[in-house]
Amino acid sequence: MSTHLTPAEVETAKQAAVAAIDAAADSLIRLSKFIHSHPEIALEEYESSAACAEFLEERGFALERGVAELPTAFSASVSVGDGAPHIAFLSEYDALPNLGHGCGHNLIAIAGIGAGIGAAAALRHLPKGRVSVFGTPAEEAVGGKIIMANAGVFEGVDAAMGAHPGTSESVCPTVEGSGEALACVSVIIAFHGQSAHAAADPWNGRNALNAVIATFNGVDALRQHVKSDARLHGIIRHGGDAANVVPHFAEAEFFVRGGTVAYMNELVEKVRKIAEGAALITGCDLVFSIPDEANFDMITNRTMARVMDAHQRAVGLVLPEAKPTPASGSTDWGNVSYLFPSVETNYPILDRVCTWHSQDVVDASDSALGYENTIKVAKSMALTAIDLLTDPDLLRSATAEFQREREARSI
Ligand SMILES: [Zn+2]
């Protein structure tokens, strides 16, 4: 594969991208304000996703709405020549219940769309390539990206980017140990025993709540013997019906998180053994289930992140230096990152540190700094896409890194 472009031709494409984003900036901010003022929670982002899809359609993207049988998901593409390579931007737009845009997904939406518009403008100056913007719902709940990945919506994509807002400490994940997220899965542990009068004939009962409590104690003991990035946390969803009745049914839910999917799976099996032991000592029957797909850990592509970081600084985004920070949360981006080279960059929308998923973030997501930095990040993603579209060696290095990291996580 060779695009035979001169540096001057690449520069022309990049100038076209930046000019297109500058020209669209006011409309992008209006779109973001609309999403911010109409907060819609996971899988109910009807107005937000429709507004995003229309915005792209009006600007020449071919739209497919309701992909992966998700009414609020879409794909939008512009293709030139044979459509290769295929670079994707992922947008989110779901809000948090009773809070609104306390995670800034109204900014994530326009970061991806802005980058897509910029890269599409550049494509007109390139012999071939494809640029897509995917509307990915429900990041805060079921994880729309997981459903879209399983449905094959991302097939043919060579590399993907997205941007998540953050505090003054947020940065592009250029160094090992930054930009990572834990693999995470929810397990439901239900016990069925035998009810009895808790005072008159408790010896006839088999106590399902005791089994749940034994499970919690077992998990607490397990914590001493897990790696530092493991997280095991749970609640009792049902603990009985009345204090004078031996609980015949009790149920707990745990989130099991690990640094990789493989380690998370190992921990799930340990939790299963604990629950089996709890069933044994209480004489209850165990139903152990995993209702939802796991979030995979995030395989951040450093090759792409380093290019993006340079572009972010070049377009004037003020960022601290990247440093390793332990992974804590989990995201459906992780599942995408197991498919092809991926970067979800972070960038500041505040000039300080604050608690996330909060009113502070709701305010920052509709602030001048928030919009200004989101537009800059959109430019940096478009410019990174142009590098990937025009420099086969860069895409090859990113892909080689991805394959190494993916193979190291054999699942
Ligand atoms: Zn978020």
Side-chain angles (χ1 to χ4, degrees):
M1 184 179 73
S2 176
T3 50
H4 300 296
L5 287 167
T6 65
E9 286 169 327
V10 174
E11 197 43 46
T12 302
K14 288 184 173 176
Q15 280 168 8
V18 171
I21 295 169
D22 278 332
D26 288 346
S27 328
L28 285 164
I29 293 167
R30 269 198 300 279
L31 173 63
S32 192
K33 280 181 176 289
F34 172 79
I35 298 169
H36 190 272
S37 59
H38 295 81
E40 296 170 301
I41 60 166
L43 299 179
E44 294 177 17
E45 317 96 325
Y46 296 106
E47 290 193 48
S48 303
S49 63
C52 291
E54 255 164 54
F55 194 94
L56 286 158
E57 196 165 46
E58 282 166 7
R59 286 159 180 82
F61 281 72
L63 257 289
E64 207 184 318
R65 294 173 167 85
V67 292
E69 293 177 20
L70 291 169
T72 56
F74 66 83
S75 79
S77 281
V78 171
S79 186
V80 167
D82 64 1
H86 184 182
I87 310 300
F89 304 105
L90 272 51
S91 285
E92 299 169 8
Y93 27 67
D94 59 325
L96 293 159
N98 305 319
L99 182 62
H101 278 288
C103 203
H105 293 193
N106 62 302
L107 298 175
I108 297 180
I110 65 158
I113 292 169
I117 286 168
L123 261 189
R124 279 183 222 112
H125 301 272
L126 303 179
K128 63 206 220 55
R130 183 182 175 101
V131 170
S132 291
V133 179
F134 290 98
T136 67
E139 193 277 335
E140 301 286 2
V142 293
K145 295 181 196 70
I146 303 174
I147 298 166
M148 293 169 78
N150 291 345
V153 171
F154 301 125
E155 253 162 50
V157 170
D158 291 295
M161 287 169 266
H164 200 299
T167 69
S168 55
E169 292 187 340
S170 295
V171 65
C172 193
T174 53
V175 299
E176 213 53 49
S178 62
E180 290 172 359
L182 299 174
C184 175
V185 72
S186 151
V187 299
I188 308 291
I189 300 171
F191 293 100
H192 298 267
Q194 174 67 52
S195 61
H197 194 294
D201 67 335
W203 48 86
N204 285 324
R206 284 179 286 123
N207 193 323
L209 177 60
N210 278 351
V212 162
I213 292 167
T215 302
F216 270 85
N217 288 333
V219 169
D220 284 343
L222 172 63
R223 272 200 200 92
Q224 188 188 341
H225 303 285
V226 298
K227 294 179 184 172
S228 57
D229 52 9
R231 297 285 185 279
L232 300 155
H233 44 99
I235 55 165
I236 298 177
R237 297 192 348 159
H238 191 84
D241 301 297
N244 62 352
V245 180
V246 172
H248 70 97
F249 174 73
E251 189 176 79
E253 177 182 11
F254 280 90
F255 276 15
V256 179
R257 304 189 202 233
T260 62
V261 177
Y263 186 53
M264 176 198 74
N265 286 338
E266 235 180 274
L267 292 171
V268 167
E269 286 317 302
K270 289 184 178 183
V271 171
R272 187 197 300 272
K273 290 279 181 235
I274 289 167
E276 285 171 1
L280 198 63
I281 60 176
T282 56
C284 292
D285 296 316
L286 165 69
V287 180
F288 188 98
S289 58
I290 300 175
D292 299 316
E293 294 252 3
N295 279 322
F296 292 1
D297 56 298
M298 182 77 197
I299 310 175
T300 293
N301 194 274
R302 311 287 164 205
T303 306
M304 278 166 60
R306 280 192 289 270
V307 172
M308 199 192 291
D309 180 67
H311 285 309
Q312 287 180 355
R313 293 171 199 277
V315 299
L317 198 60
V318 180
L319 293 169
E321 284 305 313
K323 57 174 193 273
T325 43
S328 51
S330 305
T331 169
D332 58 2
W333 251 111
N335 302 57
V336 175
S337 79
Y338 270 63
L339 300 176
F340 35 70
S342 299
V343 176
E344 187 193 27
T345 189
N346 240 253
Y347 66 99
I349 60 168
L350 288 138
D351 58 4
R352 61 193 163 86
V353 174
C354 79
T355 305
W356 210 248
H357 284 193
S358 65
Q359 186 59 41
D360 281 349
V361 180
V362 175
D363 299 340
S365 300
D366 185 34
S367 68
L369 181 67
Y371 293 124
E372 190 189 321
N373 283 359
T374 302
I375 297 297
K376 286 176 182 167
V377 159
K379 288 178 186 172
S380 76
M381 292 201 293
L383 294 169
T384 306
I386 297 166
D387 286 333
L388 291 164
L389 287 163
T390 58
D391 181 353
D393 287 340
L394 175 64
L395 183 56
R396 256 196 298 276
S397 312
T399 306
E401 182 195 322
F402 163 74
Q403 282 164 348
R404 262 196 324 273
E405 291 293 324
R406 180 68 187 78
E407 273 158 33
R409 293 163 170 79
S410 53
I411 53 158

